[in-house]
């Protein structure tokens, strides 16, 4: 498997050097692996910190900026960052208003963010945590007890980030983050496995004529393997999975997310099919976002994420955001 | 080769339905294959129209919006749109101030835009044309007499779009588009071939341990095949190719562009190496953009594009833009 890298050992550090070069609006500590919005801490503003294994870009580092995360901690590829990174991020962004940790539900991430929260509290930082577990595919998985956190994380980071930007206190920012997570569901489909630099090839075996329904963002097993399906059939299955679980009674934010290796041309065609299925079910869509936002390296496939919104959540979704990976209104 | 599609015949129409569903700020004629900025024509504003074969998304349809294109005409995958589409686009966006056609240098595109310009003039639309030929790799190629037009097209569309947004007359918008093209150079590297829906598999053969230096965005042959290189070596070769050709004496806009199948993590690492090489050559970089902007379906690889800028071009680059694929300042 050919990769555009130097050596596997420096992939994350090399990427951080690139982020530093391309984004002067971010402060990147390449050595210690922390990406911070320049100018932090911001007087009176709650800091939002997330992080996780690398390989899901632009999540999380690409979501640092006005109206979203204040800092991100990238781990090695598909490996949790360490508590040290999280503590550094927390102390770098805390203005005294406290810090919210946004944690995808993987055992390593949960343990490390828990430890980091204790250490940061010892240093006088008030910390709240929200666990993201939006993936409906399976309960318990390779790296997870309970449901996995996947592309719904984008909804949590965007909406909580917007409320923090308005100066809301820590408990309110944490509450809305939890509310967004409870209102969000995701389901992912893999057409191919992804290849990590360390392994140098596919991390699991997915035969030519098959796809994996409900796959995890590290290639964890999903619900079932099936013979290859059309875009429309995949949309049917994906929408059924998230809608039957959430049973929405309010308009949706819809994220049609590419896993990294699927061309945007195909992704927009898939978005059309997802819209068709939602229309058939008479479920209104308030906003649609299509693109590669929560990826699995070079995996082919897509995920469907929904978040049901009231007026407040929709207003916060529409609020200005200026990050490398998501940007509107400013 | 598994693809997230229904059938190859409807790939472009399906994508257009998805664009229509996701982007209410655009008017999409799925049948006639024209994407127009909603509200066009705009009083006193020159219209910017581009187009080309599909498979390079977000180029061009994803660059329709405030501060960039006013309309785009997508052809079949890797196939020129037809003059009818271009004439429809021109008449849809002409406010009386005229229309600029931005044409990548491929024989089919050039012939069809030429014919469309004549037909549009017959309907009373003043038309100017600019040919984009930024790719330094080869002179004459599979579909091209002269140099190919590739990722430098983004510079032309952004900067000419910003000037048009300010209300500049047609001759000035056309002049600056030509100036940007003359100031831009690109060089692309493929690690893998791309696969078109119609073919259902790779469009050319690129052995496991080799890469193609100077590849075209449809997989056209480049300068040479070599044994696989590191990210740093590819950056050395790519920067040498564009810098030796342009011989810049002013700061650069830098686009480190993914061909579609390369993870963003790798692309940022490559951007770091490109910055290293430019720094070694003491060439200042004013702005850096990293991402998948001018793609070749699922091809792995990257292109390096540079555009040397004076104060005016830099100001127009920084001006607000709001399109699905490129967005800042508004």
């Amino acid at each position: 498997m050919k990769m555009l890298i130097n050596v596997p050992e420096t992939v994350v550090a090399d990427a951080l050097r690139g982020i530093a070069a391309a984004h002067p609006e971010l402060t990147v500590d390449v050595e210690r692996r922390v990406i911070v919005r320049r100018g932090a801490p911001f007087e009176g503003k709650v800091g939002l910190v997330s992080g996780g294994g690398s390989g899901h870009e632009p999540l999380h580092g690409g979501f640092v900026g006005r109206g979203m995360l204040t800092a991100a901690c990238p781990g090695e590829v598909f490996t949790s960052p360490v508590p040290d990174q999280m503590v550094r991020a927390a102390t770098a962004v805390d203005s005294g208003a406290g810090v919210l940790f946004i944690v995808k539900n993987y055992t390593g991430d949960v343990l490390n963010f828990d430890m980091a929260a204790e250490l940061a509290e010892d240093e006088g930082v008030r910390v709240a945590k929200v666990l993201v577990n939006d993936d409906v595919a399976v309960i318990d998985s390779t790296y997870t007890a309970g449901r996995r956190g996947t592309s719904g994380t984008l909804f949590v980071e965007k909406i909580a980030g917007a409320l923090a930007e308005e100066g809301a206190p820590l408990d309110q920012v944490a509450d809305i983050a939890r509310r967004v997570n409870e209102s969000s569901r995701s389901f992912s489909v893999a057409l191919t496995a992804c290849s990590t630099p360390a392994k140098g090839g596919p991390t699991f075996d997915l035969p030519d004529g098959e796809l994996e329904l409900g796959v995890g963002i590290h290639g964890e097993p999903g619900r079932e393997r099936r013979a290859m399906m059309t875009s429309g059939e995949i949309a049917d299955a994906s929408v059924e999975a998230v809608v039957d679980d959430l049973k929405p009674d309010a308009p949706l934010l819809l994220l049609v997310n590419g896993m990294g290796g699927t061309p945007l041309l195909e992704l927009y065609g898939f978005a059309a099919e997802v819209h068709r299925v939602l229309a058939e079910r008479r479920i209104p869509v308030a906003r649609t976002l299509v693109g590669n936002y929560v990826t699995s390296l070079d995996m082919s496939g897509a995920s469907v994420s929904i978040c049901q919104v009231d007026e407040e959540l929709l207003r916060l979704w529409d609020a200005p955001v200026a990050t490398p990976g998501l940007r509107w209104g400013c």
Side-chain angles (χ1 to χ4, degrees), chain A:
Chain A
M1 174 65 66
K2 289 174 279 189
M3 293 179 181
L4 186 58
I5 64 174
N6 289 316
V7 292
E9 293 71 23
T10 65
V11 163
V12 174
D14 288 348
L16 287 172
R17 288 192 295 124
I19 292 170
H23 301 292
E25 71 278 17
L26 303 176
T27 304
V28 181
D29 186 333
V30 175
E31 185 105 0
R32 288 158 174 158
R33 304 198 171 184
V34 183
I35 300 168
V36 179
R37 179 178 166 197
R38 192 172 290 279
F42 299 93
E43 182 69 30
K45 192 180 106 53
V46 167
L48 266 69
V49 173
S50 192
S54 292
H56 307 301
E57 290 68 28
L59 183 84
H60 300 272
F63 297 150
V64 175
R66 180 177 160 200
M68 214 159 165
L69 297 179
T70 330
C73 314
E76 274 302 308
V77 171
F78 292 176
T79 304
S80 174
V82 295
D84 244 26
Q85 292 170 268
M86 301 156 181
V87 174
R88 271 180 203 284
T91 53
V93 305
D94 183 35
S95 67
V99 171
L100 178 66
F101 284 171
I102 299 175
V103 186
K104 301 198 302 303
N105 189 31
Y106 299 98
T107 306
D109 296 55
V110 171
L111 290 174
N112 287 337
F113 270 107
D114 277 353
M115 188 178 305
E118 285 182 29
L119 294 169
E121 299 263 8
D122 288 347
E123 297 196 23
V125 181
R126 273 192 308 139
V127 177
K129 285 175 291 182
V130 58
L131 198 68
V132 182
N133 59 352
D134 55 306
D135 184 348
V136 302
V138 293
I139 295 174
D140 302 338
S141 179
T142 316
Y143 311 109
T144 317
R147 285 181 166 185
R148 302 176 295 223
T150 59
S151 32
T153 312
L154 184 147
F155 298 138
V156 178
E157 295 182 356
K158 169 67 185 80
I159 291 175
L163 189 63
E165 200 69 43
E166 294 180 356
L170 181 59
D171 59 338
Q172 285 183 27
V173 176
D175 280 350
I176 211 158
R178 283 184 205 108
R179 186 146 70 89
V180 173
N181 178 58
E182 284 160 15
S183 306
S184 298
R185 299 292 188 276
S186 298
F187 189 79
S188 309
V189 177
L191 273 55
T192 68
C194 52
S195 296
T196 57
K199 176 137 195 211
T203 54
F204 63 101
D205 185 53
L206 188 50
D208 247 11
E210 294 181 19
L211 52 72
E212 173 104 22
L213 289 175
V215 74
I217 58 173
H218 313 94
E220 304 96 309
R223 288 187 178 175
E224 58 174 325
R225 296 253 167 121
R226 282 219 207 145
M228 191 54 200
M229 297 158 71
T230 65
S231 168
E233 290 165 347
I234 296 171
D236 284 324
S238 302
V239 171
E240 182 179 8
V242 292
V243 164
D244 284 3
D245 200 275
L246 181 64
K247 299 183 178 61
D249 57 8
L252 301 181
L253 308 178
L254 170 65
L255 168 61
V256 178
N257 174 63
M259 307 304 284
T262 288
L264 199 55
L265 183 71
E266 296 179 22
L267 207 57
Y268 269 108
F270 181 58
E273 294 296 330
V274 171
H275 262 266
R276 171 189 58 75
V277 183
L278 289 167
E280 286 168 5
R281 288 170 172 255
R282 296 176 194 281
I283 299 170
V285 178
R287 301 288 184 271
T288 303
L289 186 64
V290 181
N292 291 284
Y293 292 102
V294 180
T295 60
S296 301
L297 293 169
D298 61 338
M299 185 188 281
S300 268
S303 64
V304 172
S305 293
I306 58 173
C307 174
Q308 69 174 359
V309 290
D310 56 17
E311 275 183 31
E312 185 191 17
L313 296 188
L314 186 58
R315 180 183 68 75
L316 292 168
W317 175 258
D318 286 342
V321 59
T323 72
L326 200 70
R327 185 182 281 270
W328 59 65
C330 61

